[in-house]
Amino acid sequence: MATTKPGERKLQILQALAAMLEHPKGEKITTAALAAKLEVSEAALYRHFASKAQMFEGLIEFIESTVFSLINQISEQQENGLAQVQAIAGMLLNFAERNPGMTRVLIGDALVNEDERLQLRMNQFIERVELALKQALRIAVTQGAAQEGEVAARANMIASLVLGRWHRFAKSGFRQNPSENAQAQIALLLA
Protein backbone atom coordinates (compact mmCIF):
# COMPACT_ATOMS: atom_id res chain seq x y z
CA MET A 1 0.00 0.00 0.00
CA ALA A 2 1.41 3.39 -1.03
CA THR A 3 1.97 5.90 1.73
CA THR A 4 0.69 9.42 1.35
CA LYS A 5 2.67 12.52 2.19
CA PRO A 6 1.55 14.65 5.14
CA GLY A 7 -1.37 16.82 4.08
CA GLU A 8 -1.92 14.82 0.89
CA ARG A 9 -4.80 12.74 2.31
CA LYS A 10 -6.40 15.91 3.71
CA LEU A 11 -6.27 17.45 0.21
CA GLN A 12 -7.71 14.26 -1.31
CA ILE A 13 -10.63 14.42 1.14
CA LEU A 14 -11.36 18.06 0.23
CA GLN A 15 -11.10 17.30 -3.51
CA ALA A 16 -13.50 14.36 -3.13
CA LEU A 17 -15.94 16.54 -1.16
CA ALA A 18 -15.79 19.25 -3.86
CA ALA A 19 -16.37 16.60 -6.57
CA MET A 20 -19.39 15.24 -4.71
CA LEU A 21 -20.82 18.77 -4.52
CA GLU A 22 -20.82 18.89 -8.33
CA HIS A 23 -23.86 16.60 -8.31
CA PRO A 24 -26.61 18.86 -6.98
CA LYS A 25 -29.31 16.20 -7.34
CA GLY A 26 -27.20 13.55 -5.69
CA GLU A 27 -27.77 12.18 -2.23
CA LYS A 28 -26.96 14.18 0.88
CA ILE A 29 -23.22 14.22 1.46
CA THR A 30 -22.45 12.17 4.51
CA THR A 31 -19.10 11.19 5.95
CA ALA A 32 -20.01 7.57 5.11
CA ALA A 33 -20.55 8.46 1.44
CA LEU A 34 -17.36 10.52 1.36
CA ALA A 35 -15.38 7.67 2.96
CA ALA A 36 -16.82 5.22 0.43
CA LYS A 37 -15.83 7.49 -2.47
CA LEU A 38 -12.27 7.60 -1.15
CA GLU A 39 -12.30 3.90 -0.28
CA VAL A 40 -11.31 4.60 3.33
CA SER A 41 -13.06 4.22 6.66
CA GLU A 42 -14.94 7.08 8.30
CA ALA A 43 -12.35 6.87 11.09
CA ALA A 44 -9.68 7.69 8.48
CA LEU A 45 -11.58 10.90 7.62
CA TYR A 46 -11.73 11.86 11.29
CA ARG A 47 -7.96 11.47 11.63
CA HIS A 48 -7.69 14.52 9.35
CA PHE A 49 -10.84 16.48 10.25
CA ALA A 50 -12.67 16.61 13.58
CA SER A 51 -16.05 16.99 11.85
CA LYS A 52 -17.78 17.40 8.51
CA ALA A 53 -18.07 21.12 9.33
CA GLN A 54 -14.27 21.25 9.51
CA MET A 55 -14.14 19.69 6.02
CA PHE A 56 -16.39 22.46 4.71
CA GLU A 57 -14.17 25.00 6.49
CA GLY A 58 -11.27 23.58 4.49
CA LEU A 59 -13.18 24.25 1.26
CA ILE A 60 -14.07 27.76 2.43
CA GLU A 61 -10.42 28.46 3.26
CA PHE A 62 -9.48 27.37 -0.27
CA ILE A 63 -12.14 29.67 -1.75
CA GLU A 64 -11.08 32.63 0.40
CA SER A 65 -7.35 32.29 -0.21
CA THR A 66 -7.78 31.79 -3.96
CA VAL A 67 -10.31 34.57 -4.54
CA PHE A 68 -8.63 37.20 -2.37
CA SER A 69 -5.17 36.52 -3.76
CA LEU A 70 -6.64 36.97 -7.27
CA ILE A 71 -8.36 40.21 -6.19
CA ASN A 72 -5.02 41.46 -4.84
CA GLN A 73 -3.31 40.58 -8.14
CA ILE A 74 -5.99 42.46 -10.09
CA SER A 75 -5.64 45.50 -7.82
CA GLU A 76 -1.85 45.51 -8.23
CA GLN A 77 -1.84 44.97 -12.00
CA GLN A 78 -4.75 47.19 -13.05
CA GLU A 79 -4.61 50.91 -12.26
CA ASN A 80 -7.98 51.80 -13.81
CA GLY A 81 -10.71 51.49 -11.16
CA LEU A 82 -13.53 50.52 -13.55
CA ALA A 83 -11.29 47.93 -15.21
CA GLN A 84 -10.54 46.53 -11.72
CA VAL A 85 -14.27 46.15 -11.05
CA GLN A 86 -14.81 44.34 -14.36
CA ALA A 87 -11.81 42.09 -13.78
CA ILE A 88 -12.88 41.22 -10.22
CA ALA A 89 -16.45 40.41 -11.29
CA GLY A 90 -15.20 38.37 -14.26
CA MET A 91 -12.77 36.45 -12.05
CA LEU A 92 -15.55 35.63 -9.55
CA LEU A 93 -17.76 34.27 -12.33
CA ASN A 94 -14.90 32.29 -13.90
CA PHE A 95 -13.92 30.86 -10.50
CA ALA A 96 -17.44 29.44 -10.13
CA GLU A 97 -17.42 28.11 -13.69
CA ARG A 98 -14.13 26.26 -13.07
CA ASN A 99 -15.21 25.01 -9.62
CA PRO A 100 -18.88 23.97 -9.81
CA GLY A 101 -18.83 22.13 -6.48
CA MET A 102 -17.40 25.21 -4.79
CA THR A 103 -20.26 27.26 -6.27
CA ARG A 104 -22.65 25.32 -4.05
CA VAL A 105 -20.55 26.42 -1.07
CA LEU A 106 -20.41 30.04 -2.33
CA ILE A 107 -24.20 30.30 -2.50
CA GLY A 108 -24.70 28.42 0.77
CA ASP A 109 -26.60 25.58 -0.91
CA ALA A 110 -24.15 22.95 0.37
CA LEU A 111 -24.19 24.45 3.86
CA VAL A 112 -27.94 24.25 4.54
CA ASN A 113 -27.83 21.36 7.04
CA GLU A 114 -24.38 22.17 8.36
CA ASP A 115 -23.10 24.29 11.24
CA GLU A 116 -24.54 27.84 11.14
CA ARG A 117 -21.07 29.39 11.46
CA LEU A 118 -20.21 28.13 7.96
CA GLN A 119 -22.99 30.21 6.39
CA LEU A 120 -21.96 33.20 8.50
CA ARG A 121 -18.43 32.81 7.16
CA MET A 122 -19.69 32.76 3.56
CA ASN A 123 -21.77 35.88 4.29
CA GLN A 124 -18.59 37.58 5.49
CA PHE A 125 -16.84 36.42 2.33
CA ILE A 126 -19.50 38.15 0.19
CA GLU A 127 -19.16 41.32 2.31
CA ARG A 128 -15.39 41.29 1.73
CA VAL A 129 -15.92 40.84 -2.03
CA GLU A 130 -18.31 43.81 -2.02
CA LEU A 131 -15.73 45.83 -0.07
CA ALA A 132 -13.12 45.04 -2.75
CA LEU A 133 -15.57 46.26 -5.40
CA LYS A 134 -16.12 49.47 -3.39
CA GLN A 135 -12.37 50.05 -3.17
CA ALA A 136 -12.03 49.69 -6.94
CA LEU A 137 -14.97 52.04 -7.48
CA ARG A 138 -13.40 54.61 -5.13
CA ILE A 139 -10.31 54.52 -7.35
CA ALA A 140 -12.63 55.15 -10.31
CA VAL A 141 -14.04 58.17 -8.45
CA THR A 142 -10.54 59.64 -8.03
CA GLN A 143 -10.00 59.04 -11.76
CA GLY A 144 -13.21 60.90 -12.60
CA ALA A 145 -14.89 57.77 -13.98
CA ALA A 146 -17.55 57.34 -11.25
CA GLN A 147 -19.56 59.43 -8.80
CA GLU A 148 -18.77 59.23 -5.06
CA GLY A 149 -22.42 58.87 -4.08
CA GLU A 150 -22.87 55.81 -6.31
CA VAL A 151 -20.00 53.68 -4.97
CA ALA A 152 -21.97 51.62 -2.41
CA ALA A 153 -24.98 51.11 -4.69
CA ARG A 154 -22.88 50.05 -7.68
CA ALA A 155 -20.73 47.70 -5.62
CA ASN A 156 -23.89 46.10 -4.19
CA MET A 157 -25.48 45.76 -7.65
CA ILE A 158 -22.39 44.08 -9.08
CA ALA A 159 -22.06 41.74 -6.07
CA SER A 160 -25.77 40.90 -6.49
CA LEU A 161 -25.27 40.21 -10.20
CA VAL A 162 -22.39 37.82 -9.39
CA LEU A 163 -24.43 36.07 -6.69
CA GLY A 164 -27.42 35.75 -9.01
CA ARG A 165 -25.28 34.22 -11.73
CA TRP A 166 -23.74 31.78 -9.23
CA HIS A 167 -27.26 30.74 -8.15
CA ARG A 168 -28.40 30.31 -11.72
CA PHE A 169 -25.33 28.22 -12.51
CA ALA A 170 -25.90 25.90 -9.54
CA LYS A 171 -29.68 25.66 -9.99
CA SER A 172 -29.32 24.87 -13.71
CA GLY A 173 -27.26 21.81 -12.82
CA PHE A 174 -24.14 23.75 -13.91
CA ARG A 175 -25.40 24.21 -17.49
CA GLN A 176 -25.99 27.99 -17.41
CA ASN A 177 -22.43 29.37 -17.49
CA PRO A 178 -22.13 32.30 -15.09
CA SER A 179 -19.75 34.28 -17.32
CA GLU A 180 -21.95 34.13 -20.44
CA ASN A 181 -22.70 37.74 -21.55
CA ALA A 182 -21.68 38.94 -18.09
CA GLN A 183 -19.17 41.56 -19.24
CA ALA A 184 -21.88 43.43 -21.16
CA GLN A 185 -24.15 43.43 -18.11
CA ILE A 186 -21.34 44.59 -15.81
CA ALA A 187 -20.51 47.36 -18.28
CA LEU A 188 -24.16 48.51 -18.11
CA LEU A 189 -23.95 48.66 -14.30
CA LEU A 190 -20.81 50.78 -14.57
CA ALA A 191 -22.09 53.15 -17.26
Side-chain angles (χ1 to χ4, degrees):
M1 184 170 156
T3 58
T4 56
K5 295 176 189 165
E8 194 174 316
R9 177 61 77 185
K10 198 171 188 173
L11 181 60
Q12 288 171 344
I13 293 167
L14 293 176
Q15 288 171 335
L17 177 57
M20 290 175 79
L21 289 169
E22 291 182 20
H23 304 285
K25 294 193 176 37
E27 293 179 31
K28 184 176 185 250
I29 296 174
T30 62
T31 53
L34 182 58
K37 181 172 180 68
L38 288 164
E39 298 176 351
V40 298
S41 68
E42 280 185 83
L45 295 179
Y46 289 115
R47 278 195 286 279
H48 301 282
F49 295 97
S51 64
K52 189 165 71 162
Q54 204 176 67
M55 293 175 204
F56 277 108
E57 283 176 337
L59 290 180
I60 292 170
E61 285 167 13
F62 168 80
I63 291 168
E64 289 173 339
S65 67
T66 302
V67 166
F68 291 113
S69 74
L70 290 170
I71 286 174
N72 289 337
Q73 284 177 24
I74 290 166
S75 299
E76 290 169 10
Q77 294 170 1
Q78 181 56 257
E79 291 181 23
N80 181 293
L82 293 181
Q84 277 185 28
V85 172
Q86 284 213 309
I88 290 168
M91 174 275 296
L92 292 166
L93 296 171
N94 287 323
F95 178 84
E97 210 166 296
R98 284 190 213 108
N99 301 284
M102 301 288 187
T103 304
R104 292 192 55 218
V105 176
L106 286 166
I107 65 171
D109 189 37
L111 307 175
V112 169
N113 295 313
E114 303 303 329
D115 192 305
E116 185 181 327
R117 78 178 187 280
L118 298 172
Q119 185 58 60
L120 292 173
R121 189 161 171 188
M122 286 316 304
N123 293 348
Q124 289 173 335
F125 169 83
I126 299 300
E127 288 169 12
R128 286 178 61 200
V129 164
E130 192 169 333
L131 182 62
L133 292 168
K134 282 180 189 176
Q135 289 172 332
L137 285 165
R138 284 191 187 102
I139 291 169
V141 168
T142 66
Q143 295 168 337
Q147 300 295 315
E148 179 64 44
E150 299 173 353
V151 167
R154 284 183 193 261
N156 185 267
M157 284 190 320
I158 292 165
S160 296
L161 173 102
V162 168
L163 271 168
R165 285 180 160 269
W166 285 344
H167 273 275
R168 222 170 139 193
F169 181 50
K171 299 303 179 187
S172 71
F174 308 117
R175 286 185 298 281
Q176 183 74 43
N177 287 341
S179 62
E180 189 177 316
N181 300 320
Q183 289 305 324
Q185 292 177 353
I186 294 163
L188 284 171
L189 294 177
L190 294 174

